[in-house]
Amino acid sequence: MNDRLLTVYAPPVEEAIVAGSDLAAILINALRRNRIDLKDGDVLVVASKVVSKAEGRMTQVANRAEFEDLVADSSSHLVAERTYASGTTVQIVRTHAGTVQAAAGLDQSNSGGAVVLHPVDSDRSADELRARVEQAFSVRIGLVISDTTSRPWRIGVGDFALGLSGFSGLDDQRGRLDDDGRVQTVTVRAIADEIAAAADLVKGSSRGLPMALVRGAGGYLDNGRDGAKALNRDLDEDWFRHGHVEAIHRGLGVTAVPGRAAAGDGGDDILERVSRALRVVRAGQARTPGHEAWRMRIEGAGSRVIITPSDGPASPQTEGPPLLEAMVGLGSLVERTHTALYAEDLTATTRWQWQQSSYPRGVIIDIGLQRP
């Protein structure tokens, strides 16, 4: 049973934490120096940055391109990618630990210019720290290694549990009765994340406060051994595994968009959006023949796309009649164009141009904003 009063305190840590530091000893000394007598059921929250520093998980990069390469090496799955006026590209990725974070959770603040990586295994690091602290104080506690992340649909960042030891981190309410006597079927509370967020209100590794003591949540301590990984949603259950732009691009068979990625602040003008959409249309392997029988050009600063026959004859791709292949290719290009424009928040109307022989001689696509 938990207390109805939760207290959170961040004792100062005076020692500098560098590669090879005995982090457990430093934290234990800070608790003792501040005359904190740990009790059974207490939870310690430790910033992942100091764990990484002590474990030597730091590296140098010469420029932004090397940083972005490091993000790619630290991730298993690209969720979304956007650019900004400064020229910076920001990627939201699924890390090797299973978390979804901007720039794979890599941190360059308060690190002397180095890049701080995640611990190799945050759950194992949490286990080792907890064992040392429990032995020093003869208590049973929980320990959370916290990191900072942004949140879908919400502005601002908050802390969550990157590593976890001493309790399961989830409070499964399914099967319990609510106050009205109805059986709950979906509610699973992310206790470890809530504790990490509470601790973030008082701690801060840049202020010499990389640890916080949370008291009053001892009722959640159990023998859970799944660690923080249990809080990561499996990829096959992830409804948001791609950003809306990336999902459309992948549906079109495009995994790497030529040129600059979409702006993260919606600052791209119509011409840039249309140009990117046409690059997507032409990228990847065509699912139908006949694409090269047509050329596409932009007019009116992006207000119109015109599709006309290519200057040279197209060679058959499927050994079918070249004219029929061209007709198939034109229809495919029109549909791909509408789909790619939708990813850019653009709408379009199509006007077909017909020859007297009843064959199309091209298409005019007029473009507008989905949200004027």
Side-chain angles (χ1 to χ4, degrees), residues 40 54 65 75 83 102 126 144 149 163 173 176 213 220 241 255-256 260 277 286-287 323 330 350 361:
D40 286 337
S75 62
T83 59
V144 174
T149 190
Q173 306 261 323
R176 303 180 194 175
L213 166 63
Y220 293 117
R241 67 185 69 173
T255 56
R260 191 170 71 90
R287 296 185 175 95
L323 183 58
L330 180 59
T350 301
R361 58 184 175 87

Side-chain angles (χ1 to χ4, degrees), residues 24-43:
I26 291 174
L27 299 181
I28 291 167
N29 289 338
L31 292 167
R32 286 175 171 163
R33 187 167 50 245
N34 288 276
R35 299 181 179 180
I36 296 174
D37 185 20
L38 288 186
K39 302 179 183 297
D40 286 337
D42 285 347
V43 179

Side-chain angles (χ1 to χ4, degrees), residues 203-254:
K203 72 176 181 60
S205 56
S206 63
R207 305 193 305 272
L209 303 171
M211 170 180 60
L213 166 63
V214 179
R215 180 165 289 170
Y220 293 117
L221 267 61
D222 56 25
N223 295 319
R225 300 186 183 278
D226 293 332
K229 294 182 180 66
L231 280 77
N232 297 327
R233 192 176 296 278
D234 291 337
L235 190 61
D236 58 358
E237 296 179 357
D238 186 358
W239 295 0
F240 312 103
R241 67 185 69 173
H242 294 296
H244 75 284
V245 172
E246 287 73 18
I248 292 173
H249 291 173
R250 278 154 182 76
L252 291 172
V254 179

